[in-house]
Amino acid sequence: LHCMRVSPFHTLRNSSSTPALRANYTPSNQQPGAHPSQPVRMDAQESYSIWLSPAGALKEQICKEMGSLVDAHPGSPAFDPHVTLLGGINQPEEQVLATAQKLSEQLKKYRINFLNVACGTFYYQCVFLEAAQDAATMAAAALAREMYHLSPAPYMPHMSLLYADLSNEEKQQVAAACRTRLFGGQSDYKTLLVDPGFTVSHLSVWRTPTGDTSLASWALVAEFELQ
């Protein structure tokens, strides 16, 4: 499979005495996210993101789907399946980690539910799993923006399946094929996914420099468990 592999020892457990330690990331067989044919961007701007990640059988199934899409679109990078809680955090790393720990101490575990396969208008939202805008999902995003002192902004929860520059027609074709495989052609909770969603149990802080479409500079920094 083409997804990144993350060691469970990177998890940071919450307690008043637990410092925001840095977790080293070692990919299984290639640079984080980089596809062998993708050049590494050297002009990327430093930035961080907070990811929410599935686990178990659901992650394995989504990784398999993403791997088939990468194989079918040479040059597209591999990446770990995730729903971005907050991106574009342009702050010092230690500050990002300290705020992430505080955020994890305030957030309770909640569930993200998938609705459909859709396509977007730019590279990082080429084809994705659309997630329900449930109250807990939207509240978590709003709290994250508040704690990182970022201005309110629209939030569309989703899990990208493919990063690529495709024509609208190509994106629609890919989305339709994914929809058939994962949802049986239907856009409701009667899905062929092993689980139509997942419980958010931890926050992952990723270094995601903007402009690096190869993802070669992307890396996991730390994880924080929710209460």
Side-chain angles (χ1 to χ4, degrees):
L1 302 182
H2 291 264
C3 294
M4 299 177 186
R5 301 300 183 188
V6 177
S7 166
F9 297 106
H10 295 157
T11 300
L12 303 180
R13 299 184 180 277
N14 282 324
S15 72
S16 59
S17 60
T18 302
L21 302 176
R22 183 173 304 176
N24 295 321
Y25 173 69
T26 303
S28 58
N29 57 6
Q30 64 182 55
Q31 289 180 298
H35 189 283
S37 64
Q38 273 277 29
V40 177
R41 286 287 301 273
M42 303 304 294
D43 58 345
Q45 299 298 310
E46 192 74 301
S47 185
Y48 294 86
S49 299
I50 309 296
W51 288 7
L52 314 173
S53 303
L58 177 62
K59 179 175 181 178
E60 291 180 5
Q61 183 182 21
I62 294 174
C63 278
K64 182 177 180 180
E65 180 69 20
M66 293 167 67
S68 68
L69 294 177
V70 168
D71 288 341
H73 300 86
S76 296
F79 55 94
D80 227 37
H82 64 279
V83 173
T84 300
L85 177 66
L86 182 64
I89 306 173
N90 303 317
Q91 299 173 9
E93 184 171 295
E94 296 305 317
Q95 181 179 340
V96 172
L97 293 175
T99 303
Q101 179 159 344
K102 293 177 183 177
L103 177 61
S104 68
E105 291 167 354
Q106 291 198 31
L107 281 179
K108 302 297 183 183
K109 293 180 180 179
Y110 65 96
R111 184 174 172 83
I112 289 179
N113 296 300
F114 298 125
L115 300 174
N116 195 8
V117 179
C119 47
T121 58
F122 61 100
Y123 182 83
Y124 296 110
Q125 291 182 8
C126 182
V127 177
F128 57 85
L129 283 170
E130 178 186 1
Q133 296 187 16
D134 296 324
T137 298
M138 304 307 288
L143 178 61
R145 295 197 72 85
E146 178 183 346
M147 293 192 68
Y148 277 97
H149 304 291
L150 299 178
S151 300
Y155 179 59
M156 182 189 73
H158 67 281
M159 178 177 287
S160 289
L161 299 174
L162 176 67
Y163 292 166
D165 288 318
L166 303 179
S167 67
N168 288 334
E169 182 179 358
E170 289 173 321
K171 286 186 288 189
Q172 293 289 349
Q173 291 174 348
V174 173
C178 291
R179 189 177 302 116
T180 298
R181 287 191 293 268
L182 300 179
F183 288 85
Q186 299 183 24
S187 301
D188 56 28
Y189 286 103
K190 295 178 180 179
T191 170
L192 299 182
L193 288 169
V194 295
D195 191 331
F198 67 97
T199 297
V200 177
S201 60
H202 65 279
L203 308 177
S204 299
V205 177
W206 281 76
R207 186 181 298 108
T208 53
T210 57
D212 182 8
T213 55
S214 74
L215 314 193
S217 61
W218 288 22
L220 175 66
V221 181
E223 293 184 330
F224 299 87
E225 290 186 351
L226 301 189
Q227 296 296 315

